[in-house]
Amino acid sequence: QVQLVESGGGLVQSGGSLRLSCAASGRTFSSVAMGWLRQAPGKEREFVAGISWSGSRRYYDSVKGRFTISRDNARNTVYLQMNSLKPEDTAVYYCAAANYIRSDYVPASAADFGSWGQGTQVTVSS
């Protein structure tokens, strides 16, 4: 099982930027699709972005053009660059590893993931 540790959250003003990082343990990282999800108070966890082992990407509609997911297999790390942040982006952000390996399918929902980090808080003030 992959162990995941997120970092990079914090408080930022509307229109600002943050970059989240997720360090993963395990020798299978390069074979696993990864993703980011978020959960705001009183709401269900929602998919934000996913990246396959080959680098294909998928984004939730509300973050397209503002967020970018990337991975560095040499560092066992996945990133989420968040630009033009809005107050509605406020949530706990979770890094997750897919529950399958060596597939070009890009994760699209929480059901595609089997391992989760502890989460990092992102707060965007208006």
Side-chain angles (χ1 to χ4, degrees):
Q1 192 170 359
V2 180
Q3 304 294 320
L4 305 169
V5 179
E6 302 98 334
S7 61
L11 173 65
V12 64
Q13 289 187 333
S14 181
S17 299
L18 282 174
R19 188 176 81 155
L20 305 183
S21 300
C22 173
S25 65
R27 288 175 286 182
T28 61
F29 176 80
S30 62
S31 301
V32 179
M34 300 293 296
W36 290 92
L37 300 93
R38 66 188 181 188
Q39 188 166 20
K43 295 187 177 181
E44 294 186 354
R45 192 170 297 188
E46 66 179 10
F47 172 81
V48 174
I51 185 167
S52 71
W53 74 314
S54 59
S56 296
R57 298 171 174 84
R58 189 196 309 271
Y59 297 95
Y60 183 52
D61 284 348
S62 70
V63 307
K64 284 181 181 177
R66 301 188 297 122
F67 291 11
T68 302
I69 187 171
S70 61
R71 64 188 300 159
D72 184 340
N73 290 337
R75 297 178 182 271
N76 275 22
T77 302
V78 63
Y79 303 97
L80 185 68
Q81 177 67 44
M82 305 185 294
N83 299 328
S84 302
L85 282 161
K86 304 175 181 179
E88 51 263 43
D89 294 318
T90 295
V92 177
Y93 282 70
Y94 297 91
C95 174
N99 52 21
Y100 55 87
I101 62 172
R102 297 192 184 93
S103 168
D104 287 331
Y105 174 75
V106 184
S109 72
D112 292 327
F113 299 99
S115 299
W116 300 81
Q118 82 287 353
T120 186
Q121 177 70 47
V122 171
T123 303
V124 184
S125 63
S126 58

